Amino acid sequence: VTARPVPFHGSRALGSKSSPLEGFRILELASVLAGPSIGQFLAELGADVIKVENPRTGGDVTRGWRLPGDAAGKPSAYFAGCNLGKQSVAIDTSAIQGRLLCQRLAAVSDVVVASYK
């Protein structure tokens, strides 16, 4: 199993060369609000945040939290608001290969944010 990018076109230019967390890698294993908000705050401070999403469920559930009239096929405003500045990868953690990949990512990360409640 390999990680494949999940389409999300957030800004990568949030920080500058003098960002306080530039060079830090954050692995985010979280969905909805608390964890993703922490990941976004860290990204705003210059950290490289890698968000892991479940490909079997279509990723973070908030991708589909749209208002009536919002365009389908694009992340919701809610998702975009909590995930700006991150790189998303889809990893099936129900498979041993996916769990091993997450372990490898955690081993090369400075911080792991985990919150699925």
Side-chain angles (χ1 to χ4, degrees):
V1 173
T2 59
R4 66 173 175 78
V6 175
F8 175 60
H9 306 290
S11 171
R12 294 293 297 154
L14 293 175
S16 68
K17 293 276 186 201
S18 62
S19 297
L21 295 182
E22 184 174 351
F24 282 84
R25 177 176 292 143
I26 312 300
L27 179 62
E28 181 183 304
L29 307 169
S31 65
V32 185
L33 180 62
S37 293
I38 296 299
Q40 182 183 341
F41 297 149
L42 297 173
E44 288 173 354
L45 291 171
D48 180 26
V49 180
I50 302 167
K51 178 179 182 70
V52 174
E53 297 188 67
N54 185 344
R56 296 177 352 161
T57 63
D60 191 320
V61 66
T62 64
R63 283 178 175 273
W65 288 6
R66 291 183 187 83
L67 295 172
D70 284 353
K74 293 184 178 181
S76 69
Y78 184 100
F79 177 86
C82 290
N83 292 286
L84 184 66
K86 301 175 188 177
Q87 295 290 322
S88 291
V89 294
I91 301 175
D92 183 356
T93 57
S94 68
I96 187 68
Q97 298 93 343
R99 289 192 297 275
L100 291 172
L101 180 54
C102 279
Q103 289 174 354
R104 286 195 302 269
L105 286 170
V108 297
S109 296
D110 298 294
V111 174
V112 176
V113 174
S115 173
Y116 284 109
K117 292 189 175 200

PDB file of all heavy atoms in Angstrom, residues 13-40:
ATOM      1  N   ALA A  13       1.797  28.467   1.293  1.00  0.00           N
ATOM      2  CA  ALA A  13       2.633  29.636   1.520  1.00  0.00           C
ATOM      3  C   ALA A  13       2.149  30.432   2.725  1.00  0.00           C
ATOM      4  O   ALA A  13       2.052  31.629   2.703  1.00  0.00           O
ATOM      5  CB  ALA A  13       2.630  30.520   0.272  1.00  0.00           C
ATOM      6  N   LEU A  14       1.852  29.750   3.813  1.00  0.00           N
ATOM      7  CA  LEU A  14       1.338  30.445   4.984  1.00  0.00           C
ATOM      8  C   LEU A  14       2.452  31.103   5.780  1.00  0.00           C
ATOM      9  O   LEU A  14       2.258  32.144   6.378  1.00  0.00           O
ATOM     10  CB  LEU A  14       0.583  29.467   5.889  1.00  0.00           C
ATOM     11  CG  LEU A  14      -0.702  28.923   5.306  1.00  0.00           C
ATOM     12  CD1 LEU A  14      -1.282  27.871   6.238  1.00  0.00           C
ATOM     13  CD2 LEU A  14      -1.704  30.029   5.089  1.00  0.00           C
ATOM     14  N   GLY A  15       3.604  30.492   5.824  1.00  0.00           N
ATOM     15  CA  GLY A  15       4.692  31.010   6.636  1.00  0.00           C
ATOM     16  C   GLY A  15       5.778  31.630   5.780  1.00  0.00           C
ATOM     17  O   GLY A  15       5.741  31.588   4.563  1.00  0.00           O
ATOM     18  N   SER A  16       6.726  32.211   6.442  1.00  0.00           N
ATOM     19  CA  SER A  16       7.885  32.759   5.747  1.00  0.00           C
ATOM     20  C   SER A  16       9.122  31.987   6.190  1.00  0.00           C
ATOM     21  O   SER A  16       9.033  31.077   7.000  1.00  0.00           O
ATOM     22  CB  SER A  16       8.029  34.246   6.091  1.00  0.00           C
ATOM     23  OG  SER A  16       8.387  34.382   7.448  1.00  0.00           O
ATOM     24  N   LYS A  17      10.265  32.371   5.681  1.00  0.00           N
ATOM     25  CA  LYS A  17      11.517  31.713   6.063  1.00  0.00           C
ATOM     26  C   LYS A  17      11.771  31.823   7.566  1.00  0.00           C
ATOM     27  O   LYS A  17      12.494  31.033   8.127  1.00  0.00           O
ATOM     28  CB  LYS A  17      12.694  32.310   5.289  1.00  0.00           C
ATOM     29  CG  LYS A  17      12.641  32.021   3.812  1.00  0.00           C
ATOM     30  CD  LYS A  17      13.215  30.673   3.536  1.00  0.00           C
ATOM     31  CE  LYS A  17      13.282  30.454   2.050  1.00  0.00           C
ATOM     32  NZ  LYS A  17      13.365  29.092   1.676  1.00  0.00           N
ATOM     33  N   SER A  18      11.176  32.808   8.202  1.00  0.00           N
ATOM     34  CA  SER A  18      11.411  33.004   9.632  1.00  0.00           C
ATOM     35  C   SER A  18      10.275  32.447  10.488  1.00  0.00           C
ATOM     36  O   SER A  18      10.155  32.805  11.645  1.00  0.00           O
ATOM     37  CB  SER A  18      11.599  34.494   9.927  1.00  0.00           C
ATOM     38  OG  SER A  18      10.428  35.203   9.580  1.00  0.00           O
ATOM     39  N   SER A  19       9.444  31.571   9.927  1.00  0.00           N
ATOM     40  CA  SER A  19       8.344  30.985  10.682  1.00  0.00           C
ATOM     41  C   SER A  19       8.896  30.183  11.855  1.00  0.00           C
ATOM     42  O   SER A  19       9.861  29.436  11.706  1.00  0.00           O
ATOM     43  CB  SER A  19       7.500  30.077   9.790  1.00  0.00           C
ATOM     44  OG  SER A  19       6.909  30.829   8.761  1.00  0.00           O
ATOM     45  N   PRO A  20       8.267  30.307  13.021  1.00  0.00           N
ATOM     46  CA  PRO A  20       8.820  29.649  14.208  1.00  0.00           C
ATOM     47  C   PRO A  20       8.870  28.121  14.137  1.00  0.00           C
ATOM     48  O   PRO A  20       9.720  27.519  14.788  1.00  0.00           O
ATOM     49  CB  PRO A  20       7.906  30.108  15.343  1.00  0.00           C
ATOM     50  CG  PRO A  20       6.759  30.781  14.719  1.00  0.00           C
ATOM     51  CD  PRO A  20       7.116  31.120  13.320  1.00  0.00           C
ATOM     52  N   LEU A  21       8.001  27.490  13.365  1.00  0.00           N
ATOM     53  CA  LEU A  21       8.003  26.022  13.298  1.00  0.00           C
ATOM     54  C   LEU A  21       8.499  25.483  11.960  1.00  0.00           C
ATOM     55  O   LEU A  21       8.335  24.301  11.671  1.00  0.00           O
ATOM     56  CB  LEU A  21       6.605  25.479  13.592  1.00  0.00           C
ATOM     57  CG  LEU A  21       6.086  25.732  15.007  1.00  0.00           C
ATOM     58  CD1 LEU A  21       4.716  25.099  15.196  1.00  0.00           C
ATOM     59  CD2 LEU A  21       7.058  25.223  16.051  1.00  0.00           C
ATOM     60  N   GLU A  22       9.124  26.338  11.168  1.00  0.00           N
ATOM     61  CA  GLU A  22       9.663  25.873   9.888  1.00  0.00           C
ATOM     62  C   GLU A  22      10.656  24.745  10.133  1.00  0.00           C
ATOM     63  O   GLU A  22      11.490  24.808  11.034  1.00  0.00           O
ATOM     64  CB  GLU A  22      10.349  27.005   9.144  1.00  0.00           C
ATOM     65  CG  GLU A  22      10.828  26.577   7.780  1.00  0.00           C
ATOM     66  CD  GLU A  22      11.370  27.740   6.976  1.00  0.00           C
ATOM     67  OE1 GLU A  22      11.216  28.882   7.401  1.00  0.00           O
ATOM     68  OE2 GLU A  22      11.950  27.475   5.923  1.00  0.00           O
ATOM     69  N   GLY A  23      10.527  23.674   9.365  1.00  0.00           N
ATOM     70  CA  GLY A  23      11.400  22.521   9.507  1.00  0.00           C
ATOM     71  C   GLY A  23      10.843  21.434  10.405  1.00  0.00           C
ATOM     72  O   GLY A  23      11.382  20.345  10.457  1.00  0.00           O
ATOM     73  N   PHE A  24       9.730  21.723  11.109  1.00  0.00           N
ATOM     74  CA  PHE A  24       9.086  20.705  11.930  1.00  0.00           C
ATOM     75  C   PHE A  24       8.078  19.938  11.092  1.00  0.00           C
ATOM     76  O   PHE A  24       7.345  20.526  10.299  1.00  0.00           O
ATOM     77  CB  PHE A  24       8.349  21.339  13.120  1.00  0.00           C
ATOM     78  CG  PHE A  24       9.254  21.740  14.235  1.00  0.00           C
ATOM     79  CD1 PHE A  24       9.906  22.964  14.207  1.00  0.00           C
ATOM     80  CD2 PHE A  24       9.454  20.901  15.315  1.00  0.00           C
ATOM     81  CE1 PHE A  24      10.737  23.344  15.229  1.00  0.00           C
ATOM     82  CE2 PHE A  24      10.295  21.272  16.351  1.00  0.00           C
ATOM     83  CZ  PHE A  24      10.939  22.493  16.302  1.00  0.00           C
ATOM     84  N   ARG A  25       8.019  18.623  11.264  1.00  0.00           N
ATOM     85  CA  ARG A  25       7.045  17.788  10.557  1.00  0.00           C
ATOM     86  C   ARG A  25       6.017  17.303  11.580  1.00  0.00           C
ATOM     87  O   ARG A  25       6.355  16.747  12.612  1.00  0.00           O
ATOM     88  CB  ARG A  25       7.698  16.605   9.885  1.00  0.00           C
ATOM     89  CG  ARG A  25       6.642  15.707   9.206  1.00  0.00           C
ATOM     90  CD  ARG A  25       7.243  14.575   8.433  1.00  0.00           C
ATOM     91  NE  ARG A  25       7.933  15.129   7.278  1.00  0.00           N
ATOM     92  CZ  ARG A  25       9.076  14.636   6.799  1.00  0.00           C
ATOM     93  NH1 ARG A  25       9.643  13.601   7.353  1.00  0.00           N
ATOM     94  NH2 ARG A  25       9.634  15.172   5.744  1.00  0.00           N
ATOM     95  N   ILE A  26       4.752  17.494  11.224  1.00  0.00           N
ATOM     96  CA  ILE A  26       3.636  17.082  12.066  1.00  0.00           C
ATOM     97  C   ILE A  26       2.852  16.019  11.303  1.00  0.00           C
ATOM     98  O   ILE A  26       2.478  16.231  10.145  1.00  0.00           O
ATOM     99  CB  ILE A  26       2.690  18.261  12.385  1.00  0.00           C
ATOM    100  CG1 ILE A  26       3.449  19.511  12.851  1.00  0.00           C
ATOM    101  CG2 ILE A  26       1.590  17.838  13.351  1.00  0.00           C
ATOM    102  CD1 ILE A  26       4.274  19.343  14.085  1.00  0.00           C
ATOM    103  N   LEU A  27       2.579  14.900  11.934  1.00  0.00           N
ATOM    104  CA  LEU A  27       1.712  13.874  11.359  1.00  0.00           C
ATOM    105  C   LEU A  27       0.359  14.021  12.032  1.00  0.00           C
ATOM    106  O   LEU A  27       0.256  13.919  13.257  1.00  0.00           O
ATOM    107  CB  LEU A  27       2.279  12.478  11.602  1.00  0.00           C
ATOM    108  CG  LEU A  27       1.431  11.320  11.062  1.00  0.00           C
ATOM    109  CD1 LEU A  27       1.287  11.408   9.542  1.00  0.00           C
ATOM    110  CD2 LEU A  27       2.053   9.994  11.471  1.00  0.00           C
ATOM    111  N   GLU A  28      -0.661  14.303  11.254  1.00  0.00           N
ATOM    112  CA  GLU A  28      -2.005  14.499  11.793  1.00  0.00           C
ATOM    113  C   GLU A  28      -2.887  13.290  11.494  1.00  0.00           C
ATOM    114  O   GLU A  28      -3.158  12.974  10.337  1.00  0.00           O
ATOM    115  CB  GLU A  28      -2.641  15.751  11.207  1.00  0.00           C
ATOM    116  CG  GLU A  28      -4.029  16.016  11.759  1.00  0.00           C
ATOM    117  CD  GLU A  28      -4.681  17.217  11.124  1.00  0.00           C
ATOM    118  OE1 GLU A  28      -4.084  18.314  11.160  1.00  0.00           O
ATOM    119  OE2 GLU A  28      -5.778  17.046  10.559  1.00  0.00           O
ATOM    120  N   LEU A  29      -3.313  12.634  12.557  1.00  0.00           N
ATOM    121  CA  LEU A  29      -4.248  11.516  12.481  1.00  0.00           C
ATOM    122  C   LEU A  29      -5.517  11.996  13.178  1.00  0.00           C
ATOM    123  O   LEU A  29      -5.758  11.687  14.346  1.00  0.00           O
ATOM    124  CB  LEU A  29      -3.672  10.283  13.175  1.00  0.00           C
ATOM    125  CG  LEU A  29      -2.272   9.842  12.724  1.00  0.00           C
ATOM    126  CD1 LEU A  29      -1.704   8.788  13.666  1.00  0.00           C
ATOM    127  CD2 LEU A  29      -2.322   9.332  11.302  1.00  0.00           C
ATOM    128  N   ALA A  30      -6.303  12.809  12.496  1.00  0.00           N
ATOM    129  CA  ALA A  30      -7.440  13.456  13.151  1.00  0.00           C
ATOM    130  C   ALA A  30      -8.495  13.852  12.124  1.00  0.00           C
ATOM    131  O   ALA A  30      -8.206  13.998  10.940  1.00  0.00           O
ATOM    132  CB  ALA A  30      -6.965  14.686  13.904  1.00  0.00           C
ATOM    133  N   SER A  31      -9.718  14.018  12.622  1.00  0.00           N
ATOM    134  CA  SER A  31     -10.794  14.502  11.762  1.00  0.00           C
ATOM    135  C   SER A  31     -11.734  15.398  12.565  1.00  0.00           C
ATOM    136  O   SER A  31     -11.674  15.447  13.785  1.00  0.00           O
ATOM    137  CB  SER A  31     -11.575  13.333  11.149  1.00  0.00           C
ATOM    138  OG  SER A  31     -12.231  12.599  12.159  1.00  0.00           O
ATOM    139  N   VAL A  32     -12.567  16.085  11.881  1.00  0.00           N
ATOM    140  CA  VAL A  32     -13.613  16.989  12.361  1.00  0.00           C
ATOM    141  C   VAL A  32     -13.015  18.312  12.850  1.00  0.00           C
ATOM    142  O   VAL A  32     -12.670  19.129  12.026  1.00  0.00           O
ATOM    143  CB  VAL A  32     -14.559  16.322  13.372  1.00  0.00           C
ATOM    144  CG1 VAL A  32     -15.698  17.269  13.754  1.00  0.00           C
ATOM    145  CG2 VAL A  32     -15.166  15.040  12.779  1.00  0.00           C
ATOM    146  N   LEU A  33     -12.854  18.572  14.152  1.00  0.00           N
ATOM    147  CA  LEU A  33     -12.485  19.918  14.563  1.00  0.00           C
ATOM    148  C   LEU A  33     -11.222  20.012  15.417  1.00  0.00           C
ATOM    149  O   LEU A  33     -10.278  20.693  15.046  1.00  0.00           O
ATOM    150  CB  LEU A  33     -13.644  20.579  15.323  1.00  0.00           C
ATOM    151  CG  LEU A  33     -13.394  22.003  15.810  1.00  0.00           C
ATOM    152  CD1 LEU A  33     -13.150  22.949  14.642  1.00  0.00           C
ATOM    153  CD2 LEU A  33     -14.569  22.501  16.630  1.00  0.00           C
ATOM    154  N   ALA A  34     -11.183  19.347  16.552  1.00  0.00           N
ATOM    155  CA  ALA A  34     -10.091  19.574  17.508  1.00  0.00           C
ATOM    156  C   ALA A  34      -8.718  19.297  16.903  1.00  0.00           C
ATOM    157  O   ALA A  34      -7.850  20.185  16.882  1.00  0.00           O
ATOM    158  CB  ALA A  34     -10.304  18.734  18.764  1.00  0.00           C
ATOM    159  N   GLY A  35      -8.485  18.075  16.435  1.00  0.00           N
ATOM    160  CA  GLY A  35      -7.188  17.722  15.862  1.00  0.00           C
ATOM    161  C   GLY A  35      -6.834  18.541  14.636  1.00  0.00           C
ATOM    162  O   GLY A  35      -5.723  19.082  14.541  1.00  0.00           O
ATOM    163  N   PRO A  36      -7.759  18.651  13.658  1.00  0.00           N
ATOM    164  CA  PRO A  36      -7.448  19.455  12.482  1.00  0.00           C
ATOM    165  C   PRO A  36      -7.159  20.930  12.792  1.00  0.00           C
ATOM    166  O   PRO A  36      -6.329  21.547  12.133  1.00  0.00           O
ATOM    167  CB  PRO A  36      -8.696  19.308  11.611  1.00  0.00           C
ATOM    168  CG  PRO A  36      -9.203  17.948  11.955  1.00  0.00           C
ATOM    169  CD  PRO A  36      -8.970  17.849  13.450  1.00  0.00           C
ATOM    170  N   SER A  37      -7.823  21.471  13.812  1.00  0.00           N
ATOM    171  CA  SER A  37      -7.540  22.864  14.183  1.00  0.00           C
ATOM    172  C   SER A  37      -6.121  22.999  14.717  1.00  0.00           C
ATOM    173  O   SER A  37      -5.407  23.953  14.376  1.00  0.00           O
ATOM    174  CB  SER A  37      -8.539  23.347  15.236  1.00  0.00           C
ATOM    175  OG  SER A  37      -9.826  23.425  14.687  1.00  0.00           O
ATOM    176  N   ILE A  38      -5.694  22.047  15.544  1.00  0.00           N
ATOM    177  CA  ILE A  38      -4.315  22.075  16.055  1.00  0.00           C
ATOM    178  C   ILE A  38      -3.333  21.978  14.893  1.00  0.00           C
ATOM    179  O   ILE A  38      -2.356  22.721  14.821  1.00  0.00           O
ATOM    180  CB  ILE A  38      -4.072  20.920  17.053  1.00  0.00           C
ATOM    181  CG1 ILE A  38      -4.955  21.079  18.290  1.00  0.00           C
ATOM    182  CG2 ILE A  38      -2.598  20.817  17.429  1.00  0.00           C
ATOM    183  CD1 ILE A  38      -4.721  22.327  19.081  1.00  0.00           C
ATOM    184  N   GLY A  39      -3.597  21.032  13.960  1.00  0.00           N
ATOM    185  CA  GLY A  39      -2.726  20.891  12.799  1.00  0.00           C
ATOM    186  C   GLY A  39      -2.649  22.168  11.981  1.00  0.00           C
ATOM    187  O   GLY A  39      -1.576  22.558  11.510  1.00  0.00           O
ATOM    188  N   GLN A  40      -3.786  22.844  11.817  1.00  0.00           N
ATOM    189  CA  GLN A  40      -3.783  24.091  11.054  1.00  0.00           C
ATOM    190  C   GLN A  40      -2.995  25.178  11.775  1.00  0.00           C
ATOM    191  O   GLN A  40      -2.226  25.904  11.157  1.00  0.00           O
ATOM    192  CB  GLN A  40      -5.199  24.581  10.780  1.00  0.00           C
ATOM    193  CG  GLN A  40      -5.184  25.855   9.943  1.00  0.00           C
ATOM    194  CD  GLN A  40      -6.539  26.437   9.692  1.00  0.00           C
ATOM    195  OE1 GLN A  40      -7.547  25.754   9.823  1.00  0.00           O
ATOM    196  NE2 GLN A  40      -6.580  27.699   9.330  1.00  0.00           N
TER     197      GLN A  40
END
